[in-house]
């Protein structure tokens, strides 16, 4: 497990003992986002990629042998590569395979890939087009979706860097985005308190769903429904016809409901979310019988 701090430190932890294995120093400002990337050759080697308010990313290399020891790691066993290019805070980072995508307050996204020939990370593409800060991104290995301060959502081919679609319709900042190419849908959420469903092929708007009374801050898109959380702690679920199915959780974790549902995800048919209060809650989702 790796974590980043406002003081720029990146720490690697043993999840069993809770022991800090190493503290990685290098960023001159807050470490805002962290992901791990596994390089199969000549390794395997695990890279910890961190993005910072100092406008840089860093790729910290931990050998598989060192990370498997479950003992403090010497800084001599950690290699660090600085990735430059952004001119604003690096706030967003997604990883798939040996490719990473970063998003910044400078309005751009950058596609990075680990090159086995050089053993280093290289910037393959700079995705330009947003007017203002990029607030959200989703990357599935082939495509990137991004939402920004300009109220638009852009859909890119990460392999070529080409812009495939620009979706316009929200009246405020787009803060969440998700997509499933096989289903042909892209789903977005905005500070305008709405969730929109788009057709990836035609680029047309399939529907807009309402219900939240406060700004939306989290979004989960499954094959069966959409769940969105807002700053007032409300979690709402809709089907793809835009019909409101229910409020989640039905009966509570009352203390958590007072805080924003800041992060949503699923694990083995279980919805879990993290609030600004720091509380974590779980709810078992019953799947529809086919």
């Amino acid at each position: 497990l790796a974590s980043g701090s406002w003081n720029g430190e990146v720490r690697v932890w043993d999840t069993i003992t809770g022991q800090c294995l190493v503290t990685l120093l290098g960023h001159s400002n807050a470490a805002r986002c962290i992901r791990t990337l596994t390089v199969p050759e000549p390794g395997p080697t695990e890279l910890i990629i961190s993005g910072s308010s100092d406008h840089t990313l860093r790729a910290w290399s931990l050998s598989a042998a060192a990370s498997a020891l479950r003992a403090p790691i010497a800084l001599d066993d950690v290699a660090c590569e600085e990735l430059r290019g952004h001119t604003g805070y690096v706030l967003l980072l997604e990883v798939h395979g040996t490719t990473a995508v970063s998003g910044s307050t400078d309005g751009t996204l950058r596609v990075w890939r680990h090159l086995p020939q050089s053993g280093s990370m290289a910037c393959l593409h700079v995705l330009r087009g947003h007017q203002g800060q990029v607030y959200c991104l989703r990357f599935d290995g082939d495509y990137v979706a991004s939402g920004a301060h300009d109220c638009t959502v852009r859909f890119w081919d990460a392999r070529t860097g080409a812009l495939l679609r620009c979706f316009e319709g929200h009246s405020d900042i787009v803060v969440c985005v998700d997509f499933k190419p096989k289903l042909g849908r892209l789903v977005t959420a905005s500070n305008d308190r709405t969730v929109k469903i788009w057709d990836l092929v035609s680029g047309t708007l399939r529907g807009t769903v309402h219900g939240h009374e406060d700004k939306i801050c989290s979004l989960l898109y499954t094959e069966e429904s959409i769940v969105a959380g807002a700053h007032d702690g409300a979690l709402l679920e809709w089907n793809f016809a835009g019909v409101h199915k229910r409020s989640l959780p039905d009966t509570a974790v009352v203390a958590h409901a007072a805080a924003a549902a800041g992060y949503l995800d699923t694990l083995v048919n279980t919805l879990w979310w993290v609030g600004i209060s720091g509380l974590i809650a779980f709810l078992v989702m019953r799947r529809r019988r086919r």
Side-chain angles (χ1 to χ4, degrees):
L1 174 69
S3 63
S5 170
W6 287 104
N7 64 6
E9 292 181 354
V10 174
R11 290 175 178 255
V12 181
W13 306 85
D14 186 320
T15 56
I16 295 178
T17 65
Q19 179 184 21
C20 178
L21 301 179
V22 67
T23 299
L24 307 174
L25 304 176
H27 284 302
S28 60
N29 209 326
R32 305 293 294 265
C33 48
I34 295 179
R35 293 289 186 272
T36 58
L37 182 155
T38 301
V39 180
E41 297 177 357
T45 298
E46 186 173 47
L47 297 182
I48 297 174
I49 312 293
S50 57
S52 170
S53 294
D54 65 10
H55 303 181
T56 72
L57 294 96
R58 287 179 179 264
W60 313 86
S61 177
L62 303 178
S63 69
S67 59
L69 288 176
R70 298 198 178 278
I73 300 170
L75 285 176
D76 291 343
D77 293 331
V78 181
C80 178
E81 179 184 5
E82 187 178 52
L83 309 179
R84 291 185 172 271
H86 282 298
T87 58
Y89 295 175
V90 182
L91 302 180
L92 305 167
L93 185 61
E94 291 278 343
V95 167
H96 197 282
T98 57
T99 304
V101 179
S102 56
S104 170
T105 58
D106 64 14
T108 70
L109 300 102
R110 288 178 175 260
V111 181
W112 311 84
R113 180 171 297 162
H114 184 271
L115 303 179
Q117 301 90 338
S118 62
S120 62
M121 298 289 293
C123 181
L124 301 184
H125 310 292
V126 181
L127 310 182
R128 306 181 189 273
H130 282 300
Q131 304 300 311
Q133 175 179 335
V134 180
Y135 273 84
C136 56
L137 76 86
R138 185 68 70 190
F139 172 48
D140 73 345
D142 295 319
Y143 302 101
V144 177
S146 57
H149 190 275
D150 59 12
C151 308
T152 70
V153 177
R154 294 174 184 265
F155 191 65
W156 319 79
D157 188 325
R159 299 161 296 187
T160 64
L163 175 64
L164 303 178
R165 293 275 181 202
C166 180
F167 302 91
E168 300 181 58
H170 282 295
S171 60
D172 207 334
I173 298 169
V174 180
V175 293
C176 303
V177 64
D178 203 352
F179 66 92
K180 297 190 185 300
K182 291 183 179 180
L183 300 180
R185 293 193 191 106
L186 181 142
V187 179
T188 60
S190 166
N191 279 352
D192 64 14
R193 298 174 172 82
T194 69
V195 174
K196 291 183 181 291
I197 306 167
W198 309 84
D199 189 302
L200 272 177
V201 178
S202 66
T204 56
L205 179 64
R206 287 189 176 185
T208 300
V209 294
H210 304 264
H212 275 296
E213 298 178 359
D214 205 346
K215 292 180 179 179
I216 297 171
C217 57
S218 54
L219 178 70
L220 177 67
Y221 166 31
T222 72
E223 294 184 1
E224 298 182 345
S225 63
I226 302 166
V227 180
H231 284 285
D232 60 6
L235 287 169
L236 301 180
E237 182 184 22
W238 298 269
N239 62 23
F240 287 103
V243 178
H244 178 215
K245 296 175 67 176
R246 56 177 169 164
S247 297
L248 303 172
D250 293 324
T251 59
V253 185
V254 178
H256 179 82
Y263 183 82
L264 291 169
D265 207 343
T266 54
L267 179 65
V268 194
N269 299 334
T270 301
L271 173 70
W272 64 278
W273 63 97
V274 181
I276 290 176
S277 66
L279 290 172
I280 302 175
F282 298 84
L283 180 70
V284 176
M285 305 284 284
R286 289 191 179 92
R287 296 184 63 87
R288 183 178 66 244
R289 292 184 179 179
R290 302 184 184 278

